[in-house]
Amino acid sequence: HEALKVIESACKYPIVCVDKHVESTDGYALWHTDLPETDWIIDDILPAGLTVLAGKPKAGKSFLAFSMALSIANNDLFLGRYGVTDGVAFMLALEDTKSRLRTRMKMLSSDAPPQGSLILCTNWGEADIEGLRQTVASTINVKLLIVDTLARFRPGSKANSDIYAKDYADIASLKSVADEFGISVVVIHHTRKMKSSDPFEMISGTHGITGAADTMWLLEHDKKSELTNLHIRGRDIEDTTLNLQFDGGNWSVFGDYESPPTKQEIKLMYAFSDKPFSPKDVENLLGTSYANSAKIVQRMFAKGLVTKVGHGKYIFESL
């Protein structure tokens, strides 16, 4: 202490001593520290941590979340494409009945039911974080926890309360469970009606929700193509947009396109998915003029949907 007083007297600013209970490191040590890579629960798109999955009411969010849970429980590809971490999926389906969940499960998993690796709960104590923590701690190999929905889980706001602080605290409390056990907690939430050039600005609530989350998934229907864009953004992932189709409760990936294909282009994709084609083939299929057919092909080429494989011949990239 005497030495610090002498040094401090010679300094322009007072010395701040780091409390021994505060975990800290210096830049040099951090540079040379071997740290674990991102822990992916679903390869490339869902890391461990807190994820907000948002979309309009009846947009298929619960079906997507249920499909995610089944993929984890069955150690099966998610959306038919992405590898998963094998483990137990725990789902708070707070807006569903057991009957509805069984119907949904049979729609999505017709072969056989998951063998004890999918736990479903239709009621839960309001904002019972400690109950979640104890459940995850007492269940072997939990990898995924789904809360459907945030509005049904968290308590209502009090009059004159700080809405931003409450939004942040509610998400942070769920995030603490994800961080403590190294799992992915997916919270289903709604979007607001007002459109925005940034799709993530449409997530309902204040920036406290998006600010506290590690990752955000947003479902947005594209009227031009009748596909649904799944926008993904997060701290440990590059911005990604998947183009999804929803059919009979099942979600599937149609492709990764910055600009989703139009209805006309989708028709061509199905017709020529496995063989080369020419503008003349497009003319015959669509009944348009040769000039318009050539423009359609050139537009698809410019968008990266097709590759030229010979004089006047094109082929679609794999879906």
Side-chain angles (χ1 to χ4, degrees), residues 268 271-272 275-288 290 293 297 312-314:
L268 294 173
F272 306 117
K275 56 186 177 183
F277 67 96
S278 67
K280 186 65 178 178
D281 296 320
V282 174
E283 178 186 13
N284 294 334
L285 180 69
L286 300 181
T288 61
Y290 182 85
S293 298
V297 173
K313 288 289 185 179
Y314 299 83

PDB file of all heavy atoms in Angstrom, residues 268 271-272 275-288 290 293 297 312-314:
ATOM      1  N   LEU A 268     -39.230 -23.047 -63.362  1.00  0.00           N
ATOM      2  CA  LEU A 268     -38.130 -23.515 -64.210  1.00  0.00           C
ATOM      3  C   LEU A 268     -37.184 -24.432 -63.436  1.00  0.00           C
ATOM      4  O   LEU A 268     -36.666 -25.414 -63.978  1.00  0.00           O
ATOM      5  CB  LEU A 268     -37.361 -22.318 -64.773  1.00  0.00           C
ATOM      6  CG  LEU A 268     -38.135 -21.422 -65.748  1.00  0.00           C
ATOM      7  CD1 LEU A 268     -37.312 -20.181 -66.085  1.00  0.00           C
ATOM      8  CD2 LEU A 268     -38.481 -22.192 -67.011  1.00  0.00           C
ATOM      9  N   ALA A 271     -38.670 -27.820 -63.364  1.00  0.00           N
ATOM     10  CA  ALA A 271     -38.721 -28.444 -64.694  1.00  0.00           C
ATOM     11  C   ALA A 271     -37.340 -28.901 -65.160  1.00  0.00           C
ATOM     12  O   ALA A 271     -37.199 -29.939 -65.818  1.00  0.00           O
ATOM     13  CB  ALA A 271     -39.328 -27.473 -65.696  1.00  0.00           C
ATOM     14  N   PHE A 272     -36.293 -28.116 -64.840  1.00  0.00           N
ATOM     15  CA  PHE A 272     -34.944 -28.413 -65.348  1.00  0.00           C
ATOM     16  C   PHE A 272     -33.949 -28.628 -64.210  1.00  0.00           C
ATOM     17  O   PHE A 272     -32.785 -28.266 -64.328  1.00  0.00           O
ATOM     18  CB  PHE A 272     -34.470 -27.270 -66.250  1.00  0.00           C
ATOM     19  CG  PHE A 272     -35.410 -26.926 -67.366  1.00  0.00           C
ATOM     20  CD1 PHE A 272     -36.016 -25.672 -67.434  1.00  0.00           C
ATOM     21  CD2 PHE A 272     -35.715 -27.859 -68.346  1.00  0.00           C
ATOM     22  CE1 PHE A 272     -36.892 -25.348 -68.456  1.00  0.00           C
ATOM     23  CE2 PHE A 272     -36.586 -27.551 -69.384  1.00  0.00           C
ATOM     24  CZ  PHE A 272     -37.188 -26.297 -69.440  1.00  0.00           C
ATOM     25  N   LYS A 275     -31.157 -31.329 -65.494  1.00  0.00           N
ATOM     26  CA  LYS A 275     -30.689 -31.422 -66.884  1.00  0.00           C
ATOM     27  C   LYS A 275     -30.419 -30.028 -67.445  1.00  0.00           C
ATOM     28  O   LYS A 275     -31.036 -29.042 -67.010  1.00  0.00           O
ATOM     29  CB  LYS A 275     -31.737 -32.122 -67.751  1.00  0.00           C
ATOM     30  CG  LYS A 275     -33.115 -31.457 -67.716  1.00  0.00           C
ATOM     31  CD  LYS A 275     -34.148 -32.287 -68.469  1.00  0.00           C
ATOM     32  CE  LYS A 275     -35.538 -31.656 -68.360  1.00  0.00           C
ATOM     33  NZ  LYS A 275     -36.567 -32.479 -69.026  1.00  0.00           N
ATOM     34  N   PRO A 276     -29.518 -29.920 -68.423  1.00  0.00           N
ATOM     35  CA  PRO A 276     -29.251 -28.632 -69.059  1.00  0.00           C
ATOM     36  C   PRO A 276     -30.476 -28.163 -69.846  1.00  0.00           C
ATOM     37  O   PRO A 276     -31.303 -28.969 -70.285  1.00  0.00           O
ATOM     38  CB  PRO A 276     -28.068 -28.922 -69.985  1.00  0.00           C
ATOM     39  CG  PRO A 276     -27.466 -30.175 -69.462  1.00  0.00           C
ATOM     40  CD  PRO A 276     -28.605 -30.971 -68.900  1.00  0.00           C
ATOM     41  N   PHE A 277     -30.572 -26.856 -70.015  1.00  0.00           N
ATOM     42  CA  PHE A 277     -31.687 -26.299 -70.782  1.00  0.00           C
ATOM     43  C   PHE A 277     -31.206 -25.053 -71.515  1.00  0.00           C
ATOM     44  O   PHE A 277     -30.138 -24.507 -71.225  1.00  0.00           O
ATOM     45  CB  PHE A 277     -32.868 -25.968 -69.873  1.00  0.00           C
ATOM     46  CG  PHE A 277     -32.588 -24.845 -68.900  1.00  0.00           C
ATOM     47  CD1 PHE A 277     -32.959 -23.539 -69.186  1.00  0.00           C
ATOM     48  CD2 PHE A 277     -31.928 -25.091 -67.711  1.00  0.00           C
ATOM     49  CE1 PHE A 277     -32.695 -22.512 -68.301  1.00  0.00           C
ATOM     50  CE2 PHE A 277     -31.649 -24.066 -66.814  1.00  0.00           C
ATOM     51  CZ  PHE A 277     -32.040 -22.771 -67.117  1.00  0.00           C
ATOM     52  N   SER A 278     -32.028 -24.591 -72.447  1.00  0.00           N
ATOM     53  CA  SER A 278     -31.699 -23.425 -73.259  1.00  0.00           C
ATOM     54  C   SER A 278     -32.861 -22.441 -73.223  1.00  0.00           C
ATOM     55  O   SER A 278     -33.960 -22.782 -72.765  1.00  0.00           O
ATOM     56  CB  SER A 278     -31.443 -23.862 -74.708  1.00  0.00           C
ATOM     57  OG  SER A 278     -32.656 -24.345 -75.276  1.00  0.00           O
ATOM     58  N   PRO A 279     -32.646 -21.217 -73.718  1.00  0.00           N
ATOM     59  CA  PRO A 279     -33.774 -20.277 -73.809  1.00  0.00           C
ATOM     60  C   PRO A 279     -34.940 -20.838 -74.615  1.00  0.00           C
ATOM     61  O   PRO A 279     -36.097 -20.525 -74.323  1.00  0.00           O
ATOM     62  CB  PRO A 279     -33.146 -19.055 -74.491  1.00  0.00           C
ATOM     63  CG  PRO A 279     -31.710 -19.111 -74.080  1.00  0.00           C
ATOM     64  CD  PRO A 279     -31.368 -20.568 -74.055  1.00  0.00           C
ATOM     65  N   LYS A 280     -34.652 -21.686 -75.599  1.00  0.00           N
ATOM     66  CA  LYS A 280     -35.715 -22.300 -76.389  1.00  0.00           C
ATOM     67  C   LYS A 280     -36.576 -23.210 -75.525  1.00  0.00           C
ATOM     68  O   LYS A 280     -37.810 -23.243 -75.654  1.00  0.00           O
ATOM     69  CB  LYS A 280     -35.107 -23.096 -77.553  1.00  0.00           C
ATOM     70  CG  LYS A 280     -36.149 -23.669 -78.519  1.00  0.00           C
ATOM     71  CD  LYS A 280     -36.912 -22.574 -79.246  1.00  0.00           C
ATOM     72  CE  LYS A 280     -37.905 -23.145 -80.240  1.00  0.00           C
ATOM     73  NZ  LYS A 280     -38.689 -22.076 -80.917  1.00  0.00           N
ATOM     74  N   ASP A 281     -35.944 -23.945 -74.598  1.00  0.00           N
ATOM     75  CA  ASP A 281     -36.684 -24.801 -73.672  1.00  0.00           C
ATOM     76  C   ASP A 281     -37.577 -23.968 -72.757  1.00  0.00           C
ATOM     77  O   ASP A 281     -38.707 -24.360 -72.446  1.00  0.00           O
ATOM     78  CB  ASP A 281     -35.722 -25.638 -72.824  1.00  0.00           C
ATOM     79  CG  ASP A 281     -34.907 -26.600 -73.664  1.00  0.00           C
ATOM     80  OD1 ASP A 281     -35.463 -27.192 -74.600  1.00  0.00           O
ATOM     81  OD2 ASP A 281     -33.693 -26.755 -73.371  1.00  0.00           O
ATOM     82  N   VAL A 282     -37.064 -22.821 -72.343  1.00  0.00           N
ATOM     83  CA  VAL A 282     -37.845 -21.914 -71.501  1.00  0.00           C
ATOM     84  C   VAL A 282     -39.046 -21.385 -72.281  1.00  0.00           C
ATOM     85  O   VAL A 282     -40.166 -21.299 -71.766  1.00  0.00           O
ATOM     86  CB  VAL A 282     -36.974 -20.749 -70.990  1.00  0.00           C
ATOM     87  CG1 VAL A 282     -37.823 -19.719 -70.240  1.00  0.00           C
ATOM     88  CG2 VAL A 282     -35.847 -21.276 -70.104  1.00  0.00           C
ATOM     89  N   GLU A 283     -38.816 -21.039 -73.558  1.00  0.00           N
ATOM     90  CA  GLU A 283     -39.891 -20.559 -74.426  1.00  0.00           C
ATOM     91  C   GLU A 283     -41.004 -21.607 -74.525  1.00  0.00           C
ATOM     92  O   GLU A 283     -42.196 -21.282 -74.400  1.00  0.00           O
ATOM     93  CB  GLU A 283     -39.343 -20.238 -75.811  1.00  0.00           C
ATOM     94  CG  GLU A 283     -40.399 -19.765 -76.803  1.00  0.00           C
ATOM     95  CD  GLU A 283     -39.841 -19.584 -78.210  1.00  0.00           C
ATOM     96  OE1 GLU A 283     -38.704 -20.052 -78.471  1.00  0.00           O
ATOM     97  OE2 GLU A 283     -40.550 -19.001 -79.046  1.00  0.00           O
ATOM     98  N   ASN A 284     -40.626 -22.852 -74.728  1.00  0.00           N
ATOM     99  CA  ASN A 284     -41.617 -23.920 -74.879  1.00  0.00           C
ATOM    100  C   ASN A 284     -42.389 -24.177 -73.588  1.00  0.00           C
ATOM    101  O   ASN A 284     -43.588 -24.471 -73.616  1.00  0.00           O
ATOM    102  CB  ASN A 284     -40.938 -25.213 -75.329  1.00  0.00           C
ATOM    103  CG  ASN A 284     -40.349 -25.110 -76.725  1.00  0.00           C
ATOM    104  OD1 ASN A 284     -40.824 -24.309 -77.536  1.00  0.00           O
ATOM    105  ND2 ASN A 284     -39.314 -25.895 -77.010  1.00  0.00           N
ATOM    106  N   LEU A 285     -41.695 -24.052 -72.450  1.00  0.00           N
ATOM    107  CA  LEU A 285     -42.342 -24.327 -71.165  1.00  0.00           C
ATOM    108  C   LEU A 285     -43.274 -23.202 -70.726  1.00  0.00           C
ATOM    109  O   LEU A 285     -44.405 -23.444 -70.290  1.00  0.00           O
ATOM    110  CB  LEU A 285     -41.283 -24.571 -70.087  1.00  0.00           C
ATOM    111  CG  LEU A 285     -41.830 -24.884 -68.683  1.00  0.00           C
ATOM    112  CD1 LEU A 285     -42.501 -26.251 -68.666  1.00  0.00           C
ATOM    113  CD2 LEU A 285     -40.721 -24.826 -67.637  1.00  0.00           C
ATOM    114  N   LEU A 286     -42.792 -21.962 -70.875  1.00  0.00           N
ATOM    115  CA  LEU A 286     -43.560 -20.826 -70.366  1.00  0.00           C
ATOM    116  C   LEU A 286     -44.499 -20.217 -71.401  1.00  0.00           C
ATOM    117  O   LEU A 286     -45.423 -19.477 -71.049  1.00  0.00           O
ATOM    118  CB  LEU A 286     -42.614 -19.739 -69.841  1.00  0.00           C
ATOM    119  CG  LEU A 286     -41.676 -20.134 -68.693  1.00  0.00           C
ATOM    120  CD1 LEU A 286     -40.821 -18.941 -68.282  1.00  0.00           C
ATOM    121  CD2 LEU A 286     -42.467 -20.647 -67.494  1.00  0.00           C
ATOM    122  N   GLY A 287     -44.245 -20.501 -72.681  1.00  0.00           N
ATOM    123  CA  GLY A 287     -45.086 -19.917 -73.726  1.00  0.00           C
ATOM    124  C   GLY A 287     -44.792 -18.461 -73.979  1.00  0.00           C
ATOM    125  O   GLY A 287     -45.623 -17.750 -74.549  1.00  0.00           O
ATOM    126  N   THR A 288     -43.618 -17.986 -73.574  1.00  0.00           N
ATOM    127  CA  THR A 288     -43.226 -16.597 -73.842  1.00  0.00           C
ATOM    128  C   THR A 288     -42.442 -16.550 -75.146  1.00  0.00           C
ATOM    129  O   THR A 288     -42.076 -17.576 -75.714  1.00  0.00           O
ATOM    130  CB  THR A 288     -42.348 -16.061 -72.702  1.00  0.00           C
ATOM    131  OG1 THR A 288     -41.171 -16.870 -72.614  1.00  0.00           O
ATOM    132  CG2 THR A 288     -43.089 -16.105 -71.376  1.00  0.00           C
ATOM    133  N   TYR A 290     -39.181 -15.919 -77.630  1.00  0.00           N
ATOM    134  CA  TYR A 290     -37.789 -16.325 -77.460  1.00  0.00           C
ATOM    135  C   TYR A 290     -36.973 -15.199 -76.811  1.00  0.00           C
ATOM    136  O   TYR A 290     -36.118 -15.450 -75.963  1.00  0.00           O
ATOM    137  CB  TYR A 290     -37.162 -16.719 -78.799  1.00  0.00           C
ATOM    138  CG  TYR A 290     -35.737 -17.199 -78.654  1.00  0.00           C
ATOM    139  CD1 TYR A 290     -35.466 -18.538 -78.341  1.00  0.00           C
ATOM    140  CD2 TYR A 290     -34.660 -16.318 -78.788  1.00  0.00           C
ATOM    141  CE1 TYR A 290     -34.156 -18.981 -78.176  1.00  0.00           C
ATOM    142  CE2 TYR A 290     -33.352 -16.762 -78.622  1.00  0.00           C
ATOM    143  CZ  TYR A 290     -33.111 -18.090 -78.323  1.00  0.00           C
ATOM    144  OH  TYR A 290     -31.817 -18.521 -78.150  1.00  0.00           O
ATOM    145  N   SER A 293     -37.686 -15.115 -73.169  1.00  0.00           N
ATOM    146  CA  SER A 293     -37.111 -16.307 -72.542  1.00  0.00           C
ATOM    147  C   SER A 293     -35.609 -16.137 -72.347  1.00  0.00           C
ATOM    148  O   SER A 293     -35.049 -16.527 -71.317  1.00  0.00           O
ATOM    149  CB  SER A 293     -37.392 -17.542 -73.404  1.00  0.00           C
ATOM    150  OG  SER A 293     -38.784 -17.773 -73.511  1.00  0.00           O
ATOM    151  N   VAL A 297     -33.421 -16.139 -68.766  1.00  0.00           N
ATOM    152  CA  VAL A 297     -32.237 -16.951 -68.515  1.00  0.00           C
ATOM    153  C   VAL A 297     -31.057 -16.073 -68.105  1.00  0.00           C
ATOM    154  O   VAL A 297     -30.310 -16.397 -67.174  1.00  0.00           O
ATOM    155  CB  VAL A 297     -31.881 -17.794 -69.755  1.00  0.00           C
ATOM    156  CG1 VAL A 297     -30.554 -18.516 -69.543  1.00  0.00           C
ATOM    157  CG2 VAL A 297     -32.986 -18.800 -70.055  1.00  0.00           C
ATOM    158  N   GLY A 312     -25.154 -21.652 -75.346  1.00  0.00           N
ATOM    159  CA  GLY A 312     -26.607 -21.544 -75.197  1.00  0.00           C
ATOM    160  C   GLY A 312     -27.215 -22.534 -74.219  1.00  0.00           C
ATOM    161  O   GLY A 312     -28.455 -22.679 -74.188  1.00  0.00           O
ATOM    162  N   LYS A 313     -26.406 -23.217 -73.419  1.00  0.00           N
ATOM    163  CA  LYS A 313     -26.909 -24.214 -72.491  1.00  0.00           C
ATOM    164  C   LYS A 313     -26.584 -23.807 -71.052  1.00  0.00           C
ATOM    165  O   LYS A 313     -25.477 -23.311 -70.760  1.00  0.00           O
ATOM    166  CB  LYS A 313     -26.288 -25.583 -72.769  1.00  0.00           C
ATOM    167  CG  LYS A 313     -26.798 -26.242 -74.036  1.00  0.00           C
ATOM    168  CD  LYS A 313     -28.249 -26.719 -73.875  1.00  0.00           C
ATOM    169  CE  LYS A 313     -28.739 -27.475 -75.082  1.00  0.00           C
ATOM    170  NZ  LYS A 313     -30.137 -27.964 -74.907  1.00  0.00           N
ATOM    171  N   TYR A 314     -27.560 -24.023 -70.165  1.00  0.00           N
ATOM    172  CA  TYR A 314     -27.424 -23.638 -68.762  1.00  0.00           C
ATOM    173  C   TYR A 314     -27.893 -24.785 -67.879  1.00  0.00           C
ATOM    174  O   TYR A 314     -28.653 -25.658 -68.311  1.00  0.00           O
ATOM    175  CB  TYR A 314     -28.249 -22.380 -68.465  1.00  0.00           C
ATOM    176  CG  TYR A 314     -27.832 -21.179 -69.278  1.00  0.00           C
ATOM    177  CD1 TYR A 314     -28.295 -20.996 -70.579  1.00  0.00           C
ATOM    178  CD2 TYR A 314     -26.965 -20.237 -68.726  1.00  0.00           C
ATOM    179  CE1 TYR A 314     -27.912 -19.892 -71.325  1.00  0.00           C
ATOM    180  CE2 TYR A 314     -26.576 -19.124 -69.477  1.00  0.00           C
ATOM    181  CZ  TYR A 314     -27.042 -18.967 -70.777  1.00  0.00           C
ATOM    182  OH  TYR A 314     -26.646 -17.877 -71.498  1.00  0.00           O
TER     183      TYR A 314
END
